[in-house]
Amino acid sequence: MSFFSIIKNWFTEAPHFEGTITATELIGSRIQKVTISLPSPVATQFPVGCYVQAMTSGVVPRAYSVATADTTSFTLLVSFGGRGAGARFFADTPVGTVVKCYGPFDDFPYRAGTGRSKIFFATSTGVAPFRRMVEEALNEGLEATLILGTPKESDIAFRSDFEEIARTNPYFHFIPVLSASDPLWQGARGYVTDQVSGKTELLRKSDIYICGVPMMTLSVLNILKKEGVPEAQIFVQKFG
Ligand SMILES: Cc1cc2nc3c(=O)[nH]c(=O)nc-3n(C[C@H](O)[C@H](O)[C@H](O)COP(=O)(O)OP(=O)(O)OC[C@H]3O[C@@H](n4cnc5c(N)ncnc54)[C@H](O)[C@@H]3O)c2cc1C
C-alpha cells in the first residue's frame, strides 16, 4: 500500500465532523483561543487529554489538543508564534466558519487511580490538555502542580482559571515561569526546568505529564532520568 493511499484511507475512515467556530480570542501575542461548536450535542464530552486534527484552510491537517469541552463544544489553544499554515488559518478565520475536524484522538489520557500526586510541565499552548487534568487530579483528592513556561505574562493561557483554582484549593500549585518577563513580574523567571531543583522526593512520588515544545520535553525528561523517576510514571504528549 502506498503512502498516499494509507493517508487517504486514514482520513476516510477516521471519525470526523463539521465544527463551527463560535468564539475566537487572542491571548497575548502568540495564542489564539478558539471555541468550536459540534454539529449536534454528544452524550459524553470529548475525553480529557485528547486532540483533534483540524483541516485548516479546508485541506491542511493540524493537530490541536482539546483544552475544554462540554457536550456541545470544545476549545483549542492555537500557537501562532511561527505563523505557519494552521496558525495563519486560526488567526485570520472569523466566527461562523465551518472547520472539518477528525477525532477526537485519545492518546494522552489522564491516568486516574494511581494515587500519586501530579506534576504537569507545559510550555505555551502545551497547557491545553492540563486545563482539565488539573481538575481531574483535584477531584481525586490529589496534589497537583502546574509548571507553565511562556515568554511573557500576557501569554499565560487560562491564567485567571488557574489562579482561581489555586486560591480556592490548597492542593493546587500554579507556577508560571516567564523567559522574557517584564521587570515588574513578581513570579518565577527562566525555564520550567529551573523549578525542579531540590524536588527529588516530590518528583519520584508523582505522575509526571509533559506537553510542549520538544526542547522543553527533552530537558525535563533528562532531569527526570537523573532524579530516578520511574518511566512508568512519565507521560508525554508528542507535540512537535
Ligand atoms: C498530538 C498533538 C497535539 C498538538 N496540540 C497542539 C495545540 O494544542 N496547540 C498548538 O498550537 N499546536 C499543537 N500541536 C502542534 C500543531 O499540530 C502544529 O504542528 C503547530 O501548531 C504548528 O503548525 P503551523 O501550521 O502553525 O506551522 P507549520 O506550517 O507546521 O510550520 C511550523 C513552523 O515552520 C515555520 N514555517 C512555516 N512556514 C514557513 C514559511 N513560509 N516561512 C518561514 N517559516 C515557516 C514556522 O516557524 C512555523 O511555526 C500538536 C501536535 C500534536 C502532534
Side-chain angles (χ1 to χ4, degrees):
M1 192 182 276
S2 74
F3 171 76
F4 290 107
S5 59
I6 290 170
I7 295 292
K8 184 168 172 281
N9 286 344
W10 186 83
F11 278 120
T12 310
E13 289 160 14
H16 57 272
F17 58 89
E18 307 269 331
T20 304
I21 297 178
T22 54
T24 180
E25 176 197 348
L26 178 63
I27 299 177
S29 58
R30 311 160 62 88
I31 299 174
Q32 197 78 20
K33 181 179 171 190
V34 182
T35 304
I36 298 179
S37 72
L38 297 166
S40 54
V42 287
T44 312
Q45 62 195 34
F46 284 2
V48 173
C50 72
Y51 73 94
V52 295
Q53 283 272 8
M55 298 302 281
T56 64
S57 306
V59 288
V60 183
R62 287 290 183 267
Y64 297 103
S65 298
V66 169
T68 68
D70 59 28
T71 54
T72 59
S73 67
F74 61 95
T75 302
L76 310 175
L77 295 178
V78 177
S79 163
F80 58 89
R83 301 290 287 176
R88 284 199 301 274
F89 173 75
F90 279 112
D92 299 338
T93 300
V95 163
T97 304
V98 173
V99 184
K100 187 170 190 176
C101 298
Y102 290 84
F105 302 105
D106 187 17
D107 67 345
F108 188 54
Y110 175 82
R111 275 76 173 179
T114 70
R116 283 186 286 271
S117 52
K118 313 294 173 196
I119 304 179
F120 302 106
F121 288 96
T123 47
S124 188
T125 52
V127 74
F130 301 146
R131 174 62 190 83
R132 288 199 287 164
M133 285 196 195
V134 162
E135 288 179 335
E136 293 289 319
L138 297 174
N139 287 342
E140 282 200 281
L142 298 170
E143 194 170 1
T145 304
L146 171 62
I147 306 177
L148 170 59
T150 196
K152 292 178 183 294
E153 201 174 345
S154 56
D155 301 321
I156 303 171
F158 296 116
R159 179 180 183 175
S160 56
D161 291 9
F162 290 129
E163 287 180 345
E164 178 61 14
I165 298 169
R167 198 181 62 74
T168 53
N169 195 320
Y171 282 164
F172 178 52
H173 314 288
F174 178 41
I175 309 176
V177 188
L178 304 188
S179 57
S181 61
D182 180 287
L184 295 175
W185 170 246
Q186 303 280 315
R189 294 164 193 266
Y191 298 104
V192 298
T193 43
D194 300 330
Q195 298 304 310
V196 292
S197 72
K199 294 197 170 82
T200 304
E201 203 185 322
L202 178 64
L203 291 171
R204 285 188 189 163
K205 69 169 194 176
S206 300
D207 288 334
I208 317 269
Y209 291 75
I210 310 169
C211 186
V213 292
M215 187 71 91
M216 180 277 291
T217 298
L218 292 173
S219 303
V220 172
L221 287 174
N222 210 14
I223 289 176
L224 299 180
K225 193 172 179 188
K226 281 189 197 143
E227 297 286 356
V229 178
E231 275 183 25
Q233 289 169 219
I234 303 171
F235 309 103
V236 178
Q237 175 60 289
K238 294 174 191 67
F239 220 63

